[in-house]
Amino acid sequence: MSTPTRRLINIPIRVEAAAPRPAPTHAHPHHHEHAAHEEASASCCSHDDCCAPGDLTAPVSVANSQAAPEGADRIRFRIDKMDCPTEERLIRNRLEPMAGVVRLDFNLIARELTVFHQLKDTSTLAAALTELDMAPTLLEVGQKAAPLPQAVPLHMKLQLALAGLAALAAEVLDWREAPLWAIALAASLAVALSGGPTLKKGWIALRHLTLNIYFLMTLAVLGAVLIGKWSEAAMVIFLFAVAEAIEAVSLEHARKAIQSLSALAPDTANIWRQGHWQSVPLDGVAEGERMMVRAGERIGLDATVLKGPAALNEAPITGESMPVDKHTGDPLFAGSIVVDGVVEAQVTATAGHSTLARIAAAIQEAQAQRAPTQRFVDQFARYYTPSVVVLAVLVALLGPWLAGGGALHWVYQALVMLVIACPCALVVSTPVTVVSGLANAARQGILIKGGVHLEQGRLIKAVALDKTGTLTAGRPTLTDVITLQRYNAQNALRIAASLDQHSSHPIAQALVAAWRERDPHGALAPVEHFDVLAGRGVKGRLLDQHWQLGNHRLVEELGLCSPELEARLETLEIQGKTAFVLLDEQGAVAILAMADTLRAESRQAIEALDALNVKAVMLTGDNQATAEHIAKQAGITEVRGNMLPADKLDAINQLVAAHGAVGMVGDGVNDAPALARATVGIAMGAAGTATALETADVAIMDDDPRKVAQFIRLSQATSRVLKQNIALALGIKAVFLALALGNHATLWMAVFADMGASLLVVFNGLRLLRLKA
């Protein structure tokens, strides 16, 4: 079977990172034309190494921004006492000035620090972290960190309860005008029970000249004690400890949401060894081994089905809620669940290299990237805090002179301002919000490789979509069987399938599959003297006569192209279909047409983009007529056909110039240059394609194009929450700062202003975990 020279279905051949493309066992005429088309398509990228993600993305994309700096080694620490940006800033101030330190990457949610360095002796790094009382633990390459301890263990809860009683007692004694020693005793007990960690961190911050919340809180408590405000000092330290505990529990919730995504694989797998099934730890399973998974069990490793069938829940990987039927040869992804049947499969990737492991690594790197809003907030806080501290000092020094009143009164107001000065709520709001957005997306089968891409999605004004494999199924489907004489449609299809069973080309195999689907119990006829007619079709002898199955060119060369046949072929080709003619010894018997059909979800995907006022543009290597036919079905008005990879790159440049932020959606290596150039590159069907996971900024794990609009909506929601959090944090600070300047704020009110705002923005950010985009 051969393809008409004037019509060509562009069936993408996915290039996996680990394996070359297998050659067909029998050359098929369509294969030669398609191979030529691919060779032309790859003209701007003629060698495999030039298609490496690093080369493509370096000039124009931040997708590879987490790569190690050139010439730098990497060392990773688990930091048990680092759970908020305050500790991050303290560590940065200590380590970044050290000779040989190139870059620091923080993962606050997992409490991990990666140091890129050029040091011969890394013990100085651990010593510096220990000096900061951060409790560092060195993690070896590939080592999984031990589970983090409970955010607020039982003994801490008991201590806080006793501290609360002591602080309340100090307040009551103060109100009853009890002796100072009694108030001081109760207050000291409250401080001792709840203030140890805060005061210790405040001392460390003072030694390293870092203006953070612990330094400011320590200064406020000591200042209150020095001016005789014992009960206030006790209440401040207690309230701060309670707020810290609540914040730690909230962050633990975000942490568990992330961990639940990367801890989906079981610890062991049933492997066939020494003549029987054995339970083997995942780390001990090699590629190529035979694995069995029963109903109700999780797939431990990526594999290919050997025996089935079985139904799998792939929602943990792809976000697809409906079970997916798996048959011999189908891929299995680690983390998915067998819901019906028993499956035997051959392992295709070891524990550290499965799709699930790649997703976990991408999420890990995404958390280390600082989103644009987070970078802005960090820079703002760097100037905001010292400014308010200077203002507090001026209030203490100039208040008695400018407004009258005692010096202690104005010192107290200055202490209130110091507590208000901490930008904790402002700084903690962004990482919690971004991580919640990343976790929500991953649960829906959308892997976003960094906060920068999560924020940029809302800016997208136009989306360019590849046709084949993105809007269409990416594989040929039999659409028409038109009989011309003597034979009915089923018999004609059986003869064509009998001829094509000897070819391994995707179009030939699709025709055979279509016949099996229509007649599952039927048998194909044996074929003798099978031969390929290069560029035209195939021929063979069956059912006691000679048959040919070929394209438009073959029919014309045989002189059998009547006006009626010509009209039928032309009609099918205008519809974007590839037509073939079945001929016996007397002439044309039937016309069979194949097409890469539109996905059922594609029209909904375009409608969703239209609802967001995002322009959809189709880019495809197919001819313009075929492209326009598919575009019309999908509801796309702007179509660009006959495009090589370099043309797609030019098209993205034009769209960027016209619209600003542009998304590119594709599924193949040929789309990589355009994916890299776009504001946000979105890879389709990334669960089965290592290249897409590495190249794109956003990876849609299944093949559902509707998730492009979901990503944009989630980005918009994340932006709204970030703005809300910034407004909340600064608004509350402004109100209490005004109260302090007007002599209406107390120390415990200032603590509520600071930590209350922190809790508000954390809880607001966590809302994104439950958002349905």
Side-chain angles (χ1 to χ4, degrees):
M1 185 170 75
S2 176
T3 299
T5 55
R6 54 183 121 174
R7 298 287 182 262
L8 180 66
I9 298 178
N10 179 21
I11 306 299
I13 298 180
R14 284 186 174 172
V15 180
E16 298 292 338
R21 183 194 316 158
T25 53
H26 295 277
H28 193 279
H30 183 88
H31 168 73
H32 297 298
E33 290 193 27
H34 183 64
H37 175 77
E38 281 201 75
E39 185 178 343
S41 296
S43 60
C44 71
C45 195
S46 57
H47 303 289
D48 289 341
D49 56 357
C50 85
C51 282
D55 293 336
L56 286 170
T57 60
V60 290
S61 174
V62 294
N64 206 30
S65 65
Q66 291 308 106
E70 188 175 350
D73 295 320
R74 180 197 312 241
I75 186 170
R76 194 162 59 103
F77 292 97
R78 158 76 166 270
I79 313 291
D80 281 342
K81 294 189 178 181
M82 177 186 72
D83 60 0
C84 84
T86 301
E87 283 93 0
E88 177 186 335
R89 175 50 53 193
L90 187 63
I91 293 171
R92 282 191 183 277
N93 290 348
R94 180 67 180 87
L95 296 189
E96 283 184 337
M98 291 176 62
V101 173
V102 179
R103 192 178 85 202
L104 304 178
D105 282 353
F106 289 86
N107 183 342
L108 295 179
I109 300 298
R111 296 189 188 180
E112 289 186 13
L113 164 66
T114 302
V115 182
F116 296 96
H117 65 90
Q118 295 172 337
L119 300 169
K120 292 182 180 179
D121 181 11
T122 57
S123 62
T124 55
L125 297 173
L129 292 168
T130 302
E131 181 188 345
L132 296 175
D133 192 38
M134 289 290 129
T137 304
L138 180 64
L139 297 176
E140 302 295 337
V141 176
Q143 177 186 351
K144 291 183 179 178
L148 287 166
Q150 188 178 357
V152 185
L154 180 60
H155 75 274
M156 283 186 62
K157 293 176 183 176
L158 291 174
Q159 280 184 229
L160 282 175
L162 292 173
L165 291 174
L168 184 61
E171 284 284 355
V172 171
L173 289 169
D174 194 7
W175 176 63
R176 298 292 298 269
E177 298 182 353
L180 185 60
W181 65 265
I183 300 172
L185 183 62
S188 297
L189 180 60
V191 172
L193 287 170
S194 60
T198 300
L199 297 175
K200 185 175 183 180
K201 290 178 179 178
W203 169 243
I204 292 170
L206 175 61
R207 282 169 46 207
H208 292 89
L209 302 176
T210 301
L211 285 175
N212 63 24
I213 182 61
Y214 302 110
F215 169 73
L216 297 174
M217 197 62 63
T218 300
L219 193 59
V221 170
L222 293 177
V225 167
L226 289 175
I227 63 176
K229 299 283 187 178
W230 284 92
S231 60
E232 292 241 22
M235 191 57 71
V236 163
I237 205 74
F238 165 69
L239 290 174
F240 182 76
V242 169
E244 285 268 280
I246 296 173
E247 188 176 299
V249 171
S250 303
L251 291 173
E252 185 178 51
H253 187 56
R255 182 181 304 120
K256 286 180 178 178
I258 287 291
Q259 289 173 342
S260 68
L261 297 169
S262 55
L264 295 169
D267 296 325
T268 60
N270 289 321
I271 303 298
W272 181 260
R273 287 183 182 174
Q274 300 172 346
H276 65 281
W277 294 104
Q278 302 179 29
S279 181
V280 179
L282 291 189
D283 292 342
V285 180
E287 190 174 331
E289 291 200 85
R290 190 183 186 97
M291 173 176 68
M292 178 177 66
V293 189
R294 303 177 183 87
E297 296 179 344
R298 286 187 183 271
I299 304 292
L301 300 157
D302 285 4
T304 301
V305 177
L306 295 174
K307 283 186 181 179
L312 268 73
N313 174 8
E314 292 186 338
I317 305 298
T318 66
E320 170 57 57
S321 58
M322 297 296 292
V324 179
D325 291 329
K326 296 288 184 176
H327 302 277
T328 302
D330 288 343
L332 302 178
F333 302 123
S336 40
I337 306 163
V338 178
V339 294
D340 185 34
V342 177
V343 65
E344 292 183 24
Q346 185 175 38
V347 175
T348 56
T350 55
H353 298 87
S354 67
T355 299
L356 185 62
R358 296 201 306 271
I359 293 172
I363 293 174
Q364 181 87 356
E365 291 185 357
Q367 292 176 69
Q369 291 187 33
R370 303 171 78 77
T373 301
Q374 187 174 352
R375 290 196 293 268
F376 161 75
V377 165
D378 288 347
Q379 288 298 320
F380 177 82
R382 209 174 264 189
Y383 297 102
Y384 161 80
T385 304
S387 301
V388 180
V389 169
V390 169
L391 181 61
V393 172
L394 291 175
V395 165
L397 294 176
L398 302 179
W401 181 62
L402 293 176
L408 291 182
H409 168 77
W410 288 105
V411 169
Y412 180 81
Q413 295 303 322
L415 294 176
V416 172
M417 293 183 65
L418 284 179
V419 176
I420 295 173
C422 183
C424 198
L426 187 64
V427 174
V428 80
S429 65
T430 47
V432 172
T433 302
V434 169
V435 166
S436 297
L438 295 174
N440 182 315
R443 277 210 293 255
Q444 297 182 55
I446 306 170
L447 182 60
I448 304 172
K449 297 170 66 175
V452 60
H453 311 305
L454 178 59
E455 287 200 43
Q456 284 179 325
R458 70 182 177 85
L459 303 174
I460 292 175
K461 301 301 180 187
V463 171
L465 301 106
D466 176 48
K467 179 184 77 70
T468 308
T470 299
L471 293 170
T472 63
R475 56 184 180 272
T477 302
L478 181 68
T479 58
D480 300 88
V481 180
I482 303 169
T483 56
L484 302 175
Q485 55 174 317
R486 299 188 305 280
Y487 287 84
N488 62 34
Q490 187 64 13
N491 284 337
L493 179 58
R494 178 174 178 259
I495 294 168
S498 298
L499 286 167
D500 262 345
Q501 70 177 315
H502 296 278
S503 171
S504 62
H505 189 273
I507 288 184
Q509 290 303 304
L511 191 145
V512 175
W515 173 79
R516 292 191 190 282
E517 186 177 325
R518 298 187 185 196
D519 190 2
H521 304 295
L524 292 173
V527 178
E528 299 175 337
H529 310 302
F530 175 81
D531 195 13
V532 173
L533 305 171
R536 292 162 180 80
V538 295
K539 68 177 183 178
R541 182 175 177 81
L542 66 156
L543 303 180
D544 296 326
Q545 61 178 313
H546 292 284
W547 293 87
Q548 297 182 83
L549 180 64
N551 58 16
H552 201 153
R553 182 194 302 171
L554 175 66
V555 180
E556 288 177 342
E557 289 181 356
L558 292 173
L560 299 174
C561 197
S562 65
E564 180 190 0
L565 183 60
E566 178 76 33
R568 287 178 180 267
L569 290 174
E570 191 66 31
T571 299
L572 291 169
E573 290 169 0
I574 289 173
Q575 295 173 1
K577 299 175 182 179
T578 301
F580 307 94
V581 181
L582 178 66
L583 305 110
D584 66 3
E585 294 170 349
Q586 300 177 45
V589 171
I591 301 172
L592 299 94
M594 309 284 288
D596 184 9
T597 55
L598 189 75
R599 293 185 187 279
E601 311 86 2
S602 291
R603 187 165 187 90
Q604 297 173 28
I606 302 306
E607 289 172 352
L609 290 173
D610 287 342
L612 293 168
N613 293 318
V614 175
K615 183 178 180 62
V617 180
M618 181 192 287
L619 305 180
T620 178
D622 277 4
N623 63 74
Q624 190 69 21
T626 300
E628 287 179 356
H629 179 75
I630 294 292
K632 185 177 181 181
Q633 292 179 339
I636 298 175
T637 55
E638 184 173 339
V639 187
R640 305 188 189 187
N642 298 309
M643 305 202 82
L644 299 176
D647 300 324
K648 290 185 179 181
L649 182 58
D650 290 341
I652 293 295
N653 284 325
Q654 293 168 15
L655 289 171
V656 168
H659 300 281
V662 171
M664 169 66 196
V665 187
D667 74 327
V669 174
N670 285 351
D671 296 320
L675 286 170
R677 176 63 187 92
T679 311
V680 180
I682 304 172
M684 289 286 291
T689 312
T691 307
L693 270 176
E694 293 166 2
T695 306
D697 305 318
V698 176
I700 293 175
M701 303 308 292
D702 60 2
D703 291 316
D704 190 345
R706 293 174 297 183
K707 290 183 179 177
V708 176
Q710 282 181 240
F711 160 67
I712 295 174
R713 287 196 296 266
L714 181 61
S715 175
Q716 292 173 343
T718 302
S719 177
R720 285 195 300 271
V721 172
L722 284 171
K723 290 174 181 176
Q724 290 166 7
N725 282 347
I726 291 172
L728 272 172
L730 292 180
I732 291 173
K733 293 287 184 186
V735 168
F736 279 86
L737 195 59
L739 288 173
L741 289 172
N743 300 328
H744 298 299
T746 62
L747 270 177
W748 64 265
M749 289 170 64
V751 173
F752 271 128
D754 179 73
M755 298 313 296
S758 294
L759 296 178
L760 279 175
V761 299
V762 166
F763 290 139
N764 194 38
L766 290 175
R767 284 193 307 115
L768 284 174
L769 288 172
R770 301 184 298 275
L771 179 73
K772 295 294 183 183

